[in-house]
Amino acid sequence: MKLTTAQALVAWLIAQRSETLDGREAPLFPAVFAIFGHGNVLGLGTALHERRAELPVWRGHAEEGMALAAVGYAKATHRRQVGVATSSIGPGALNMVTAAGVAHANRLPLLLLPGDTFTGRAPDPVLQQVEHFGDPTVTVNDAFRAVSRYFDRVTRPEQLIATLPQVAGVLTDPADAGPVVLALPQDVQAETYDFPDTLFEPVLHRLTRPRPDHRALAEAVAALRAAHRPLLILGGGVRYSGAGRILLEFAEKHGIPIVETTAGRTLVPHEHPLYAGPLGITGSASANAMAADADLVLAVGTRLQDFTTASWTVFAPDVRLVTINVARFDAVKHGALAVVGDAEATVCELAGRMGKWRVDAEWTARAAEQRGAWDAHIDELRAPTPGAPSYAQVVGAVNDLSGPSDYVLTASGGLPGELVGGWRATGGAPTMDVEYGFSCMGYELAGAWGAAMARTDGVVTTLLGDGSYLMLNSELFSAAFAGHPFVAVVCDNDGYAVIARLQEGQGGEPFNNFYADCRTTREQPPRVDFAAHAAALGCAAFTAADLDEFRDAYLRARATAMAEQRPAVLVVRTRPSSWTDAGAWWEVGVPEQLPGRAAYDEAKPRQVRYLRP
């Protein structure tokens, strides 16, 4: 089949299919997000146009934003479908590096197809080419190497035959999932080759479930049976494996309290008697109290990031760590007894070996007791007050007015702490995306666009601060133009409030975070009218000044977004210094001249490095 390199790539993308977690067949690559330039418009752009009925192409308005939308799409489909983003060479390509970092940190699949400079070099230096004096093979696309699971520069058409199976393997592998970058020189995109027909035959990619080593499993069983106060941690890997129900049944049979990580949130219904809450700095005091007293931690599908472990101060010094993870890289961290395997398959085998062993009832009951105290605290924070609402009140209102099939999202600033720590899941299905692996400002709007495209049930709501809105808002217009509805709640508190909290909480002077503390030559600097701006981008716009107005406006925003098939932006002024605090420590570098150094020196010795004997 004589095709250009670009035509062959597009034909292969269309042929790839995926089995979703509920057993349906769907396109592995459901959409391409594109901004065309001289590096991709004629080769890849022409090939995509020819097959536009089979592979939808959506126009983005900032390369970072559209690639982040592709990340949000992958998260909303639990890694079973992969968004594709293509850009021209030079600045367009470099703009997508941040999105690659988000996908890499969060173990999410993403396919990036940046244009590249001419392999033949005849017209060098071309527009947007960065020349490296000592190595003419280097282009700006080499910047992707640090944030790619798989990187290839296709310099001959026939190289696709060898590289495309590797691309599919990485994007669908539960252990290696992450961003793939195929750099496509613009002359090579247009070259033709006689490709074998078999390259374009449909392939159905199913979730692989690696089984654990029997000896490692036996060690884990022995460790669990010897424990008196075990704690079960559910991470994002449980979500991607579809193992939530299996783990809940395992915990119920043996009476083991459950906590969740940020990526594992909403796997357990909030009112479940074994649920102790979310763990860590942005989690709950209830889960952290359980972790401090546990003598064994069974961590499933989590890399135990510092916000989960409170910089490794949340567990007891003598705790036994047992990890179940499909990625060996994550399983063996921190001296854990590592069981490498798929979460569902491994827990099924583990359950078969545990017999009738059960935790002491007093320890089991502590989960609900601790969570009850935390719930009472959250209720106090959510209680109505006059004037501008707090983040906790805003999150509480959205929570109260959302249903079990709705989807909520945030990424940076103070809202992850409010959403992770305070949200009460009702359905037991994953319905939250808190991008806190990379904490990327701007993901909130772009990721919501991708999630809204991917989800067929419920309403997508994203919560963000004024700083994130100003960082990256172009994809509001992309979503409005394309006709993908979601609700964006913009909490306006006059600056980077959560960083100001960190700065001033350690004794630093207020500086460059709130607008009042920033340099300006104007007596009355301008304020942003976020509602007017959102309306100018084609969104429905709403405002609220207090909690009652917010609840009413949020209901109207939901209804309008779905009825008019476009984003609805709700702007609310929020209090700049009210936070939900789980009471955990986070290690940040505190200079000796700041008052916060004393607290740092006191907490640092509690930080434990767990080494397996």
Side-chain angles (χ1 to χ4, degrees):
M1 189 180 293
K2 193 178 187 67
L3 298 171
T4 66
T5 304
Q7 288 174 321
L9 175 57
V10 170
W12 179 84
L13 291 173
I14 293 170
Q16 308 309 299
R17 309 292 292 174
S18 175
E19 184 178 77
T20 63
L21 284 177
D22 59 4
R24 294 179 296 106
E25 184 177 321
L28 179 62
F29 302 103
V32 176
F33 298 86
I35 295 177
F36 294 126
H38 75 86
N40 65 344
V41 66
L42 297 178
L44 191 56
T46 299
L48 287 167
H49 177 264
E50 293 169 346
R51 306 293 296 271
R52 61 191 181 279
E54 300 160 276
L55 182 57
V57 176
W58 301 100
R59 171 180 160 142
H61 292 86
E63 290 88 357
E64 177 189 348
M66 69 180 190
L68 288 174
V71 175
Y73 198 114
K75 183 66 175 284
T77 59
H78 317 306
R79 300 201 307 195
R80 300 313 301 146
Q81 291 183 282
V82 182
V84 184
T86 180
S87 74
S88 65
I89 66 175
L94 284 177
N95 283 345
M96 298 195 296
V97 171
T98 298
V102 170
H104 196 287
N106 289 280
R107 314 290 203 264
L108 292 169
L110 169 68
L111 178 58
L112 299 179
L113 305 175
D116 213 328
T117 54
F118 287 83
T119 300
R121 301 184 191 169
D124 284 8
V126 299
L127 179 68
Q128 298 181 322
Q129 180 175 354
V130 175
E131 295 180 277
H132 291 259
F133 299 164
D135 188 350
T137 67
V138 173
T139 76
V140 296
N141 286 334
D142 288 280
F144 283 106
R145 293 181 184 273
V147 286
S148 299
R149 290 286 188 194
Y150 183 84
F151 177 94
D152 194 8
R153 179 175 284 112
V154 179
T155 58
R156 294 291 304 152
E158 59 266 35
Q159 289 174 354
L160 287 182
I161 300 170
T163 202
L164 290 179
Q166 302 298 331
V167 169
V170 171
L171 292 173
T172 61
D173 190 299
D176 293 337
V180 169
V181 177
L182 289 185
L184 302 172
Q186 60 176 306
D187 51 347
V188 177
Q189 290 180 44
E191 291 183 16
T192 58
Y193 183 76
D194 289 322
F195 289 94
D197 293 350
T198 53
L199 184 63
F200 312 114
E201 292 180 356
V203 176
L204 179 61
H205 299 273
R206 294 185 173 92
L207 178 65
T208 58
R209 297 193 180 278
R211 263 55 181 177
D213 176 78
H214 290 295
R215 290 167 295 185
L217 196 65
E219 285 189 70
V221 169
L224 266 172
R225 284 180 166 276
H228 299 287
R229 300 179 306 281
L231 185 67
L232 178 60
I233 302 177
L234 305 188
V238 176
R239 171 180 182 163
Y240 304 135
S241 173
R245 180 183 58 83
I246 295 294
L247 273 153
L248 194 57
E249 291 174 354
F250 175 80
E252 289 169 345
K253 180 179 179 181
H254 302 293
I256 306 175
I258 305 169
V259 299
E260 294 172 325
T261 71
T262 297
R265 282 296 272 119
T266 67
L267 282 164
V268 183
H270 182 78
E271 297 299 330
H272 195 284
L274 291 175
Y275 184 55
L279 184 66
I281 296 166
T282 53
S284 61
S286 54
N288 294 341
M290 296 294 290
D293 287 342
D295 61 357
L296 181 139
V297 167
L298 176 59
V300 186
T302 172
R303 58 196 177 115
L304 295 174
Q305 185 232 21
D306 73 329
F307 259 67
T308 297
T309 65
S311 297
W312 288 98
T313 62
V314 76
F315 303 126
D318 59 348
V319 75
R320 185 76 184 275
L321 293 177
V322 180
T323 57
I324 295 175
N325 205 298
V326 72
R328 183 177 300 277
F329 182 87
D330 293 319
V332 301
K333 290 176 179 175
H334 312 296
L337 194 170
V339 183
V340 180
D342 169 72
E344 180 182 285
T346 302
V347 172
C348 284
E349 293 193 26
L350 182 67
R353 296 182 179 214
M354 290 300 298
K356 297 182 179 180
W357 170 84
R358 191 170 175 84
V359 175
D360 183 82
E362 184 179 349
W363 175 248
T364 302
R366 280 189 59 187
E369 294 171 4
Q370 291 283 357
R371 197 199 68 240
W374 179 252
D375 286 350
H377 174 62
I378 295 297
D379 287 341
E380 291 179 3
L381 297 179
R382 289 183 173 185
T385 54
S390 66
Y391 274 11
Q393 290 170 328
V394 168
V395 168
V398 173
N399 199 170
D400 291 342
L401 299 173
S402 296
S405 61
D406 291 334
Y407 192 80
V408 65
L409 182 149
T410 195
S412 61
L415 281 162
E418 308 298 327
L419 209 61
V420 174
W423 190 265
R424 295 169 180 174
T426 57
T431 52
M432 180 183 289
D433 175 6
V434 175
E435 193 291 286
Y436 222 45
F438 216 50
S439 186
C440 180
M441 294 181 71
Y443 175 81
E444 296 94 338
L445 294 175
W449 180 29
M453 293 176 65
R455 293 185 63 84
T456 57
D457 297 324
V459 175
V460 173
T461 296
T462 182
L463 296 99
L464 67 156
D466 51 308
S468 279
Y469 184 97
L470 291 173
M471 189 77 70
L472 184 62
N473 51 60
S474 54
E475 302 327 304
L476 277 176
F477 176 72
S478 300
F481 182 88
H484 296 124
F486 59 87
V487 177
V489 176
V490 180
C491 298
D492 182 4
N493 56 19
D494 275 345
Y496 303 139
V498 76
I499 299 302
R501 175 195 181 193
L502 175 63
Q503 183 181 59
E504 296 174 47
Q506 300 297 325
E509 294 293 326
F511 178 62
N512 207 51
N513 287 309
F514 284 119
Y515 293 132
D517 305 316
C518 296
R519 184 178 186 134
T520 178
T521 59
R522 302 185 60 178
E523 290 186 10
Q524 292 185 327
R527 284 192 55 83
V528 178
D529 187 336
F530 293 102
H533 185 268
L537 292 177
C539 303
F542 303 84
T543 60
D546 59 32
L547 191 57
D548 286 338
E549 286 186 11
F550 178 83
R551 294 176 69 90
D552 177 67
Y554 178 67
L555 286 174
R556 289 187 288 118
R558 286 171 59 98
T560 303
M562 302 310 292
E564 300 181 3
Q565 293 293 287
R566 59 174 175 151
V569 176
L570 169 52
V571 182
V572 56
R573 290 280 289 171
T574 51
R575 298 205 296 269
S577 56
S578 297
W579 309 98
T580 299
D581 191 349
W585 182 67
W586 183 34
E587 181 173 6
V588 293
V590 182
E592 290 187 358
Q593 67 266 31
L594 293 183
R597 179 66 188 215
Y600 173 91
D601 290 337
E602 180 182 351
K604 181 67 175 174
R606 301 200 310 267
Q607 189 178 52
V608 180
R609 282 293 181 186
Y610 298 95
L611 301 176
R612 190 177 179 187

